[in-house]
Amino acid sequence: ESSLQIWGKWSAKPLQPVHRFVAWPRLRIAQHTGRMPEGYASAGTTLLTEESFKSLENGGNRHDANYQDCISFQEWNDQTITEINRLPMHVPLYSLSDEGEAMKRRIEEEPEDHENWIKITPQNPEEGRKWKFYWTGTPEEAPEIAGPEGFLGASDFGEIRVPSCWEREEYGQAIYTNFQYPFKVNPPIIPSGMNHVGSYQVTVTVPTAWASRRVFLLFEGVSSAFYCWIAGKFVGYSQDSRLPAEFDITEHVRDQLGENLELSVRVLRFCDGSYLEDQDMWWLSGIHRDVILYSKPEELYIANYNVATTYLSPASDGPERQAELEVSVKLGGSHSDWPEDAEVVATLKGPHRLLPGQASAVPPEDTPTVLKEEPLTVYETSECFDARLQTVVPKALAWSAEEPWLYTLVLSLRRGGRCSDCEVSRVGLRTARTKDGQFLVNDVPVEIRGVNRHEHDDDTGKFCKLDSMVQDIKLIKQLNMNAVRLSHYPNRNLWYPLADAYGLYICDEANIETHGMFLETNEDRLTSDPTWEKAYLERMARMVERDFNYACIVFWSLGNEASYGRNHDIMASWTRARDPSRPVQYESCGGASATDIICPMYPSPANLAKLTTLEGQTRRNLEIGRKWPVGSADGVRPTIMCEYAHAMGNSTGNMDEYWDLIRSERTLQGGFIWDWVDQGLKHRDANGVEYWAHGGDFGEEIHDAQFNINGLVFPDRSFHPGCYEVKKIYQPITVSAQWLETCLPRFPVQLSFLNRFDFTTGSELEWTWVLELEGRVVDRSPEPMPLPTIQPQGGVATEHVVLDLGTDSQYGEAFCTISVRLKEDTTWAEKGHEVAWEQFQLPFPVFRPPAQPSSRRSLQGTGMLRTNHNSSTVEVRLSEAAGAGFRLVVCKQRGVIKKLECFGTTLLSEPPGSDGQSRGSKNLPTFWRAHTDNDNGGLDTLAGCGALGQRWHKDSGWPEGAYRVHGLLGFMLWWYAYWGDTSYGSMWLRSGLDKMEPEDVSVVTLGGSSQQVKVEIKMKLRAPGHKEYISCSTTIQVLATKDVIIRNKCYIPPSIPSVARVGLELAVAGGLENLCYFGDGPHECYTDRKLGARVGRHETTVDETFVKYLYPSENGTRSGTRWVSLTNDEGKGILVSPASPEDTLFFSAHHFTSRDLHVAKHPHEVPRRDEITLNLDLHHMPCGGDDSWARSHSH
């Protein structure tokens, strides 16, 4: 009872009585010994008040069913009232009454109804019953409760799917803002005029069999706040859109069992809690998770329980490995004394795991029994009773993301030897902690190859179905990721058992973000305000209480972009005291004591390197939106980026720079890519065309356009091309080659396999090799070979192979590709799924084979070239007999190829524009591309979506017509716009790179013969109204062999900024749809995003190269191209290769122009032209990926 310490904070006086303060045996409050956890120093005197703890323990404000008369219905404007009658949080409960049924419970699937548990929301909202629904624009217009029949006029309500978001059901308007609140910032006040209300009603029947049981009503997720009634009686109020709210309705229904009762729910779109929910996502409203009725025995029942691994012996113990497990059970009920006939027993079976083809990890019949009906010791507490068990698990198999071994725990409350209440949970034996500057799982430092994931469905919005969650997990693992940060809120209950079973490390994050505060007021205003303490602490504590038992959760997060202050310190202190078994992280405090892990957001590789030192980790930061003090730690902490590699549109470049650094520094342990899925919503335009909508598409006055379209996958979960880069860099097996003594055509090689797995040896993998010459297979391994057993964490094994090129080794490039694949089916991928690969070029001279054009090809043709001049063109024609209609025409006025024909087929032409004149940039050198999101930068994206002109509507709380952009943000946008260097995109436009036209054109013929003719073109490329110009000189060499060699030289003056490309844009005739090339592929790739591409011969079509990023941009480019051909179905067409065999080029081929892409807002708005735009670039700018709001392209 002496002074108590919660890590980082000190109490000024004892908190009495301790059992009122410490609700759980696992909540260890250490007596002050003068020693703090490693890496921490005293950090001030802020306290967790006893009132805060009491509120959390008791479930807050408790009132009876008649309390409605005292409700102000303005609770949603008061940050000190976060609930009324809501029960304390607990782990998910199933309320079973049979131990055998509990052991077979399919936890990883949608819960099924049983005698004590009823889901009010149907499992399939498309087919199940709908709820009655009425939408109003303000709280004042919402219908009142009329009595037992529920809402006044409910019989005339419409219908709605539940779970869902009402904006996806054609009520109200979806809004997307990045960090701007969609209403005036005046916490805690929400403008009533835009606070839409949804009034839900459904008929429920409480079974008569529940007569002697307590009845609970559970809402798993409602956005953002709600009041509820049953049979006209007030039940309660709750807010926090991403955590369950539960109410005891026993007294409301006791006299009406078996009758039809009306459950009425009034949901508000916004509340004071919305100031804590300013995440970068759609603002969507409604009952978006399940609603459940369940019952428990009235006298005594299992109210909550925790399971924790307190010790795990080293893996080197092998079969003798042991784990210490601690089980704590909290019992509720009306009993004041422990009944003599009652006992709590535990049964533990395992190890077992989810098996391929199964949907649930139910333990098989032959699973070993570790504990059988083991009694727990019962202790009396102030509220009811607790029960505890500490046990040793022999021959323990630990849980990890690589080997998700599980045990199944069944807890039974027995009365007179008969089970009266029963709960079940999967248990993973796992430890997680930080030590010596590293983050350890099971005392092993792990790589966090992670991604951030929002809950998102392109149809239902925030409601994610089971199959969608399983699909996400499988795809995430197939891309070699092992971790997910739940950005930025706790997920649906079902997500966590799935992550346990499939194997993912989870960062569980509190539903707190106040990013928009910095635009209007002090950014730390809320976290420094004691009146918001309860709201902050509840969101953290309730998440920890619900999710405590999941092995997949390896660290907690205090939230995201919510500044830093006293309330965060309180959250961190409470969490460390409640759960010392996991680290706590928080980005927005920098290196302050609130975080155990340094978790920066979008550092450049250079800045990431600075975080390997104590000085770099504890520095003060004064950046707007991220202000934190000097840190007080006395030791280096692990660094795991909470967000990096901003995957917005055509992005995810230069990831290799990060991972080269991460793998060279022991304290750098990875990060979470931003983010998983494009948040596009299905929508239809005025013509009925369905597309994926982004901000602004629903008519919002205030929006941030496409800034929520930054996923690795499209809304339907198909891959962006960047996924292949991520998969390659994250791959857990790497291969290197050492060439031994070579004797053409045989190449002996030693292959070294490096194991980057943290726990497994690669025994589940096999490998093959294939040898290709100029993209043609000449040799391969006869069959898959088992991967050698390799020690994890950097072990190496070698294999020897002899590659035989055969008799074709005189010409061309040869590549050997090693492929490492799954030997058998797994839970997340089928047999043969490729886990890793490497490609090596054979070390011998490279020559192009005679079948492909090159400068080494004979210049001798069979026909004769003739040249014709007139005032407007130069025409080079091959004699008809041999040339089969070969003709090239150069326009003297514009200095471009006007037409190229051969074999009666038009290959190149300068197509007319809509006015009948030639269309601008065709067949000219080009230096511009359709802007990617990274080219534009964030502020340019805001400007491009009209943010500078956006005005507030009258109901927002701002004066009607007031400009959205004002104050600090307005000044920043004006400043950057004035200087024009916000981004590469803005600089290109200011320089006119997108509108350059030829001037001072000179076209002359340089000598020539019957076998070759040279045409020299000189010009200036200048945009109208600009002084700067680019000097270009082009030589077109026409050969009697029907080859055309084009050489371009250009001079770009220093006054023109870095250009997007240096190349030539050609107009290829329509009909040449078949595309074949030898180079990097088969997908889109760029200078800084081509590690995931293989050199080979790839075939596709022009239409298939269009990557339909939700906001159109430069796309479809291929790098490292040796040659590319475009042909029609008869095989006629053109083939292009670099003039020098040592060179490669970039190319793209599309049925639209760069201008078409640049002006479109959605892929379906990009016109499909008859001609093909073929871009051939010597240089092409990287796509970048550090972030999407700065000039961060790395090369």
Side-chain angles (χ1 to χ4, degrees):
E1 304 297 343
S2 61
S3 279
L4 300 177
Q5 173 198 4
I6 303 173
W7 299 131
K9 303 296 159 195
W10 297 85
S11 63
K13 61 182 181 180
L15 300 178
Q16 303 285 353
V18 171
H19 68 256
R20 295 292 297 163
F21 177 64
V22 184
W24 284 90
R26 289 283 300 159
L27 181 55
R28 295 170 176 167
I29 309 298
Q31 289 190 350
H32 173 39
T33 62
R35 183 177 63 84
M36 304 181 73
E38 180 183 8
Y40 286 91
S42 179
T45 58
T46 304
L47 302 181
L48 267 71
T49 64
E50 184 174 7
E51 289 73 19
S52 293
F53 276 98
K54 286 182 178 179
S55 176
L56 290 172
E57 285 183 37
N58 299 332
N61 304 302
R62 309 305 298 276
H63 301 281
D64 62 26
N66 296 318
Y67 181 67
Q68 178 172 343
D69 295 338
C70 302
I71 298 174
S72 69
F73 292 108
Q74 287 294 314
E75 287 80 6
W76 50 274
N77 271 333
D78 185 345
Q79 74 272 29
T80 66
I81 302 177
T82 58
E83 52 75 32
I84 298 171
N85 286 347
R86 189 178 65 197
L87 295 177
M89 184 61 79
H90 53 73
V91 301
L93 299 174
Y94 299 101
S95 192
L96 303 167
S97 54
D98 180 88
E99 294 154 344
E101 176 190 351
M103 190 61 72
K104 297 177 182 178
R105 186 72 175 176
R106 305 176 70 85
I107 296 173
E108 297 79 11
E109 299 181 53
E110 291 281 5
E112 296 180 354
D113 292 0
H114 60 83
E115 59 180 337
N116 302 325
W117 198 94
I118 301 170
K119 186 189 289 187
I120 302 174
T121 44
Q123 293 190 22
N124 189 338
E126 288 83 358
E127 299 175 2
R129 60 178 176 170
K130 296 184 177 182
W131 291 35
K132 294 178 182 178
F133 183 76
Y134 188 77
W135 180 92
T136 56
T138 68
E140 291 76 15
E141 299 172 288
E144 298 292 336
I145 292 293
E149 64 273 20
F151 287 122
L152 186 67
S155 59
D156 297 325
F157 285 7
E159 291 187 329
I160 194 170
R161 294 183 298 176
V162 180
S164 68
C165 301
W166 69 57
E167 293 85 358
R168 301 302 298 146
E169 303 293 314
E170 301 183 359
Y171 294 97
Q173 180 188 66
I175 299 175
Y176 166 64
T177 57
N178 179 2
F179 49 77
Q180 176 90 53
Y181 289 101
F183 43 78
K184 183 177 181 180
V185 174
N186 183 27
I189 303 302
I190 297 293
S192 176
M194 66 177 300
N195 199 7
H196 306 163
V197 173
S199 298
Y200 294 78
Q201 191 155 300
V202 69
T203 303
V204 299
T205 303
V206 180
T208 56
W210 293 4
S212 60
R213 300 173 66 86
R214 300 211 68 81
V215 182
F216 301 95
L217 174 63
L218 172 65
F219 295 84
E220 289 196 342
V222 181
S223 182
S224 69
F226 69 97
Y227 300 85
C228 64
W229 297 259
I230 193 160
K233 300 175 184 177
F234 178 70
V235 172
Y237 166 82
S238 179
Q239 60 188 52
D240 187 339
S241 302
R242 312 295 166 199
L243 280 174
E246 185 173 330
F247 305 94
D248 186 335
I249 61 170
T250 308
E251 300 306 319
H252 298 70
V253 302
R254 186 182 297 278
D255 298 330
Q256 296 172 284
L257 300 179
E259 299 179 15
N260 290 336
L261 307 177
E262 297 301 323
L263 172 61
S264 307
V265 187
R266 177 183 295 169
V267 180
L268 297 106
R269 182 173 204 184
F270 301 116
C271 67
D272 56 85
S274 299
Y275 283 99
L276 305 182
E277 297 180 357
D278 189 29
Q279 290 95 344
D280 179 10
M281 62 184 184
W282 292 100
W283 293 88
L284 297 173
S285 322
I287 304 175
H288 61 89
R289 293 179 187 166
D290 286 324
V291 183
I292 295 159
L293 279 175
Y294 75 94
S295 67
K296 287 276 188 175
E298 185 161 14
E299 291 185 346
L300 194 65
Y301 60 89
I302 298 173
N304 200 359
Y305 64 96
N306 285 166
V307 187
T309 306
T310 56
Y311 172 75
L312 186 64
S313 68
S316 58
D317 288 356
E320 302 304 317
R321 193 175 199 182
Q322 292 185 341
E324 293 181 3
L325 200 65
E326 185 173 286
V327 181
S328 302
V329 179
K330 185 171 185 177
L331 298 151
S334 58
H335 262 295
S336 58
D337 297 315
W338 183 252
E340 293 184 1
D341 66 342
E343 64 174 344
V344 181
V345 299
T347 298
L348 184 69
K349 284 193 172 186
H352 60 90
R353 60 192 297 180
L354 185 67
L355 298 176
Q358 292 185 341
S360 187
V362 174
E365 292 293 334
D366 58 352
T367 302
T369 299
V370 180
L371 296 174
K372 185 174 182 180
E373 301 175 3
E374 185 75 16
L376 278 68
T377 303
V378 177
Y379 300 85
E380 184 173 355
T381 69
S382 60
E383 296 179 2
C384 195
F385 303 95
D386 288 351
R388 305 180 208 170
L389 171 67
Q390 291 183 318
T391 189
V392 174
V393 180
K395 299 180 180 180
L397 289 182
W399 183 97
S400 70
E402 296 168 18
E403 296 182 305
W405 287 106
L406 296 170
Y407 293 74
T408 296
L409 173 69
V410 172
L411 293 170
S412 300
L413 172 63
R414 292 179 175 177
R415 300 294 303 273
R418 185 175 178 272
C419 178
S420 64
D421 192 20
C422 191
E423 295 296 339
V424 59
S425 176
R426 305 279 185 250
V427 176
L429 304 178
R430 188 266 308 131
T431 61
R433 61 173 178 148
T434 61
K435 181 181 179 182
D436 298 331
Q438 290 185 304
F439 170 64
L440 311 178
V441 172
N442 302 335
D443 280 337
V444 172
V446 296
E447 272 190 357
I448 297 297
R449 303 187 295 273
V451 68
N452 284 270
R453 176 185 175 270
H454 268 293
E455 288 185 313
H456 180 77
D457 184 279
D458 61 354
D459 176 31
T460 58
K462 302 307 291 185
F463 172 57
C464 291
K465 306 176 189 127
L466 171 64
D467 57 354
S468 173
M469 290 187 282
V470 171
Q471 181 186 26
D472 278 356
I473 289 174
K474 289 182 176 180
L475 292 177
I476 286 168
K477 290 185 71 74
Q478 287 171 18
L479 291 174
N480 291 325
M481 302 181 192
N482 65 357
V484 177
R485 177 179 176 231
L486 303 185
S487 50
H488 301 290
Y489 41 81
N491 279 203
R492 187 183 171 198
N493 290 358
L494 190 55
W495 170 264
Y496 302 88
L498 292 170
D500 273 354
Y502 285 91
L504 281 175
Y505 300 124
I506 297 297
C507 171
D508 208 9
E509 189 154 270
N511 183 25
I512 299 176
E513 178 167 338
T514 63
H515 199 174
M517 294 298 294
F518 85 94
L519 293 175
E520 308 296 342
T521 183
N522 294 332
E523 60 190 62
D524 64 345
R525 174 176 169 181
L526 301 185
T527 184
S528 298
D529 186 343
T531 67
W532 285 83
E533 174 189 318
K534 180 174 181 284
Y536 272 74
L537 181 56
E538 269 189 356
R539 288 171 181 252
M540 187 71 195
R542 297 179 72 242
M543 175 184 73
V544 172
E545 295 293 358
R546 186 195 70 162
D547 300 339
F548 191 97
N549 292 344
Y550 297 116
C552 59
I553 298 172
V554 292
F555 36 81
W556 305 109
S557 169
L558 303 181
N560 182 71
E561 294 180 316
S563 190
Y564 174 55
R566 67 180 298 279
N567 293 338
H568 283 105
D569 284 333
I570 289 170
M571 293 163 66
S573 299
W574 186 93
T575 305
R576 291 191 183 109
R578 177 67 179 90
D579 180 21
S581 70
R582 295 178 176 98
V584 175
Q585 74 163 43
Y586 183 55
E587 180 268 339
S588 294
C589 72
S593 60
T595 187
D596 302 319
I597 296 170
I598 303 299
C599 47
M601 189 176 285
Y602 306 108
S604 66
N607 286 336
L608 180 62
K610 296 177 182 178
L611 297 178
T612 59
T613 67
L614 181 61
E615 179 183 5
Q617 291 186 353
T618 57
R619 67 176 177 83
R620 183 185 184 191
N621 194 57
L622 297 177
E623 178 186 351
I624 295 174
R626 277 182 178 77
K627 296 180 181 179
W628 54 71
V630 174
S632 57
D634 55 12
V636 174
R637 284 166 279 183
T639 297
I640 300 171
M641 295 175 285
C642 70
E643 294 177 24
Y644 82 112
H646 199 259
M648 188 174 181
N650 191 350
S651 187
T652 331
N654 67 287
M655 272 190 64
D656 56 316
E657 296 181 26
Y658 286 95
W659 281 87
D660 288 346
L661 178 61
I662 289 167
R663 287 166 174 161
S664 67
E665 295 284 351
R666 63 182 296 275
T667 59
L668 300 181
Q669 290 185 254
F672 298 89
I673 294 170
W674 185 265
D675 64 340
W676 173 240
V677 61
D678 287 338
Q679 293 182 57
L681 293 172
K682 288 180 181 177
H683 194 46
R684 293 187 182 274
D685 67 10
N687 298 318
V689 177
E690 187 174 79
Y691 68 99
W692 283 314
H694 48 65
D697 287 340
F698 297 99
E700 315 98 292
E701 291 91 344
I702 305 297
H703 65 87
D704 285 330
Q706 77 274 22
F707 226 77
N708 60 344
I709 307 300
N710 35 39
L712 288 173
V713 298
F714 291 99
D716 64 357
R717 272 50 177 185
S718 56
F719 286 174
H720 283 203
C723 284
Y724 302 103
E725 190 81 358
V726 172
K727 180 180 179 181
K728 184 67 170 64
I729 291 171
Y730 276 180
Q731 67 183 26
I733 300 291
T734 59
V735 190
S736 58
Q738 180 180 354
W739 302 103
L740 306 177
E741 184 177 348
T742 300
C743 181
L744 283 173
R746 295 168 63 83
F747 287 81
V749 58
Q750 176 179 291
L751 300 174
S752 297
F753 294 85
L754 173 67
N755 185 2
R756 294 193 185 278
F757 282 116
D758 295 314
F759 298 98
T760 60
T761 62
S763 60
E764 72 281 10
L765 304 174
E766 59 188 15
W767 67 285
T768 60
W769 58 267
V770 62
L771 179 62
E772 295 174 293
L773 180 64
E774 288 292 314
R776 180 172 57 87
V777 176
V778 295
D779 197 7
R780 65 169 68 244
S781 54
E783 60 184 13
M785 296 161 283
L787 194 70
T789 298
I790 315 172
Q791 287 300 310
Q793 298 257 324
V796 176
T798 59
E799 294 280 356
H800 292 79
V801 173
V802 177
L803 308 176
D804 192 344
L805 284 171
T807 58
D808 292 332
S809 57
Q810 184 178 0
Y811 293 102
E813 293 178 272
F815 291 87
C816 177
T817 303
I818 311 298
S819 179
V820 181
R821 300 175 179 269
L822 289 176
K823 193 186 301 182
E824 302 291 344
D825 289 349
T826 68
T827 58
W828 49 270
E830 295 179 351
K831 175 182 179 179
H833 167 76
E834 188 172 66
V835 174
W837 65 273
E838 297 288 355
Q839 189 176 60
F840 308 103
Q841 184 172 5
L842 270 62
F844 72 100
V846 176
F847 302 100
R848 296 279 182 260
Q852 310 303 341
S854 76
S855 57
R856 300 176 57 85
R857 184 169 173 176
S858 170
L859 300 183
Q860 187 66 37
T862 58
M864 297 180 62
L865 293 172
R866 301 182 185 278
T867 305
N868 297 320
H869 290 263
N870 60 37
S871 60
S872 60
T873 63
V874 174
E875 180 181 293
V876 180
R877 183 188 295 270
L878 194 61
S879 57
E880 191 67 27
F886 177 85
R887 184 170 73 104
L888 182 140
V889 180
V890 177
C891 173
K892 288 184 176 180
Q893 180 182 0
R894 295 179 55 79
V896 300
I897 297 175
K898 193 173 184 67
K899 191 173 288 291
L900 175 63
E901 297 175 343
C902 190
F903 298 109
T905 301
T906 298
L907 303 178
L908 300 179
S909 64
E910 190 182 26
S914 59
D915 56 358
Q917 301 297 313
S918 294
R919 184 157 44 246
S921 60
K922 288 299 186 182
N923 301 339
L924 282 169
T926 181
F927 307 92
W928 177 74
R929 70 183 183 190
H931 300 180
T932 67
D933 291 297
N934 290 345
D935 292 340
N936 279 335
L939 294 179
D940 278 2
T941 298
L942 284 176
C945 74
L948 291 172
Q950 289 178 8
R951 295 171 181 257
W952 291 101
H953 55 86
K954 62 182 179 63
D955 296 325
S956 65
W958 292 99
E960 183 176 6
Y963 282 103
R964 167 201 175 173
V965 176
H966 61 275
L968 176 61
L969 181 60
F971 175 77
M972 291 168 59
L973 285 172
W974 172 85
W975 178 266
Y976 285 120
Y978 178 81
W979 288 104
D981 60 355
T982 312
S983 67
Y984 288 108
S986 63
M987 292 191 294
W988 295 338
L989 296 181
R990 287 174 70 94
S991 299
L993 287 178
D994 60 320
K995 298 177 180 178
M996 287 195 159
E997 291 289 329
E999 297 179 357
D1000 301 334
V1001 178
S1002 168
V1003 179
V1004 297
T1005 303
L1006 301 177
S1009 67
S1010 63
Q1011 294 298 303
Q1012 62 174 315
V1013 173
K1014 287 186 178 180
V1015 179
E1016 183 182 73
I1017 306 168
K1018 292 185 178 180
M1019 68 176 70
K1020 296 176 181 177
L1021 287 174
R1022 188 198 321 257
H1026 287 71
K1027 294 181 179 180
E1028 299 89 353
Y1029 62 85
I1030 297 175
S1031 299
C1032 296
S1033 174
T1034 301
T1035 301
I1036 302 175
Q1037 182 181 8
V1038 184
L1039 307 180
T1041 57
K1042 307 182 192 67
D1043 289 344
V1044 179
I1045 299 174
I1046 303 176
R1047 291 184 173 88
N1048 289 291
K1049 293 183 179 180
C1050 63
Y1051 172 73
I1052 305 174
S1055 56
I1056 291 180
S1058 296
V1059 296
R1061 62 184 357 139
V1062 178
L1064 181 67
E1065 185 174 272
L1066 298 175
V1068 177
L1072 305 184
E1073 304 298 319
N1074 302 311
L1075 180 62
C1076 182
Y1077 66 98
F1078 181 45
D1080 299 336
H1083 50 265
E1084 166 193 280
C1085 42
Y1086 293 82
T1087 299
D1088 61 342
R1089 202 188 70 211
K1090 62 180 182 178
L1091 290 179
R1094 311 175 203 220
V1095 178
R1097 182 186 180 115
H1098 308 290
E1099 296 185 10
T1100 183
T1101 66
V1102 173
D1103 284 327
E1104 288 173 349
T1105 67
F1106 182 15
V1107 182
K1108 296 182 180 180
Y1109 294 113
L1110 269 63
Y1111 198 91
S1113 71
E1114 152 65 31
N1115 71 87
T1117 292
R1118 268 68 170 172
S1119 62
T1121 305
R1122 280 71 167 168
W1123 55 261
V1124 56
S1125 69
L1126 288 162
T1127 60
N1128 59 22
D1129 291 340
E1130 297 175 354
K1132 296 178 180 180
I1134 60 172
L1135 187 148
V1136 181
S1137 69
S1140 170
E1142 288 79 22
D1143 290 337
T1144 62
L1145 54 82
F1146 298 84
F1147 86 90
S1148 64
H1150 294 301
H1151 277 290
F1152 44 78
T1153 66
S1154 295
R1155 172 62 56 186
D1156 292 335
L1157 282 175
H1158 186 66
V1159 300
K1161 304 298 183 185
H1162 306 92
H1164 71 282
E1165 298 169 356
V1166 178
R1168 188 186 187 280
R1169 302 185 183 276
D1170 291 336
E1171 72 273 9
I1172 297 166
T1173 299
L1174 177 64
N1175 280 104
L1176 304 168
D1177 301 327
L1178 178 64
H1179 299 294
H1180 193 107
M1181 193 172 192
C1183 56
D1186 287 8
D1187 60 49
S1188 299
W1189 46 89
R1191 295 204 310 271
S1192 60
H1193 301 53
S1194 62
H1195 296 281

